[in-house]
Amino acid sequence: MSHELTYIKSKGKCIYCGNSNTKLTNEHIVPESLGGFHIIKEASCSSCQTITSKFERNVTRGLWGDERQSFNSPTKRPKKRKAFIETTILRGVTKIQIPNAEYPAGFVFYRMNTPGILQGSSTNKDISSLWTMCIVDDEKRKEDFFKKYGSYPTLKFKNVPQDFGRILLKIGYGHLLTFLEPEDF
C-alpha cells in the first residue's frame, strides 16, 4: 500500500456483518486517530461502526490518550487539544501541568503469547490475561523531565487488552480486504 491517502472501492455491503440494505460509512483501515489514511469506501453499517468506534476510542484515548497528546498525533478536534498534560510527581503527591512536548510519554503495549487456537485451545477461550504489558519510553524526554522536575511522572492509562487485540484484528482484516473480498473468509 502507498503512504498517501488511498481509497479502496466499496465492497457493496458492511465488511463486518454483510448488511447491504443500509447506509454504509467509510472505514479507515488504521484508525484515523492513529494516522490512518487508507479508507475502504462505504464499508461499515452504523451498528458495526458503533462497535469499532468504541474499541478504537478505548485504545486511542484510554490506553494512549496522554501519549497521543504528547506527540501531537492526529485528532479530529485540534483546537480542543489541551496544551498541557496533568500528572503527579514526587510519589504521587504533587499534581502539575506539563507542556505536551515535555511529557515523557510511555506507550503501553501488550506482548502476546502464541494465539490459543494455534495451541489447540477452544476458539472462545480468552487468553488475554496471559499477555504481558510493556511500555515503550522516550528515554531522552524521560531524562529531561527528571532533570527539570526531580522525579518521574505518574503514567496513567486505561488497561484495555481485549480492545487492543480487537484493534489489531480490525487493522489486519482491513488490510486483507484491500485485495480479498469478505466472502473469501
Side-chain angles (χ1 to χ4, degrees):
M1 295 188 87
S2 74
H3 294 286
E4 297 176 7
L5 183 62
T6 306
Y7 288 99
I8 294 94
K9 188 177 101 174
S10 173
K11 305 297 182 180
K13 60 185 168 186
C14 178
I15 60 174
Y16 302 111
C17 71
N19 190 348
S20 60
N21 298 322
T22 187
K23 182 181 185 315
L24 299 171
T25 61
N26 292 345
E27 183 70 49
H28 283 80
I29 293 173
V30 172
E32 187 176 14
S33 57
L34 296 177
F37 42 82
H38 302 303
I39 300 166
I40 303 174
K41 303 274 294 169
E42 300 170 354
S44 184
C45 71
S46 62
S47 296
C48 291
Q49 181 190 34
T50 298
I51 293 167
T52 59
S53 292
K54 182 178 179 189
F55 66 73
E56 287 176 2
R57 188 171 37 258
N58 283 343
V59 171
T60 59
R61 289 187 190 167
L63 185 63
W64 294 331
D66 287 348
E67 292 72 18
R68 287 183 57 249
Q69 183 175 326
S70 175
F71 287 101
N72 200 27
S73 294
T75 179
K76 288 182 180 179
R77 298 168 197 84
K79 291 180 181 178
K80 288 189 175 186
R81 178 166 274 164
K82 296 177 184 174
F84 296 89
I85 294 172
E86 188 171 286
T87 190
T88 54
I89 59 171
L90 301 175
R91 294 184 174 82
V93 176
T94 306
K95 281 191 175 191
I96 60 172
Q97 289 187 334
I98 307 297
N100 289 341
E102 290 182 16
Y103 185 73
F107 276 93
V108 177
F109 291 90
Y110 301 94
R111 185 168 294 123
M112 302 169 190
N113 302 335
T114 304
I117 194 167
L118 297 179
Q119 297 178 31
S121 297
S122 167
T123 57
N124 59 4
K125 182 179 178 186
D126 179 8
I127 62 167
S128 62
S129 62
L130 302 175
W131 297 353
T132 306
M133 188 180 295
C134 54
I135 300 170
V136 178
D137 290 309
D138 181 327
E139 291 298 326
K140 171 97 171 79
R141 278 191 184 188
K142 213 166 128 179
E143 289 172 24
D144 292 346
F145 187 95
F146 190 83
K147 286 176 188 172
K148 184 171 182 176
Y149 298 100
S151 181
Y152 293 109
T154 301
L155 181 63
K156 58 184 190 255
F157 61 91
K158 184 177 177 183
N159 186 18
V160 290
Q162 290 180 337
D163 288 337
F164 181 79
R166 286 181 183 107
I167 208 168
L168 292 179
L169 287 171
K170 177 198 173 278
I171 292 168
Y173 179 62
H175 277 289
L176 282 172
L177 289 176
T178 63
F179 57 92
L180 296 174
E181 297 298 322
E183 298 82 35
D184 293 335
F185 296 94

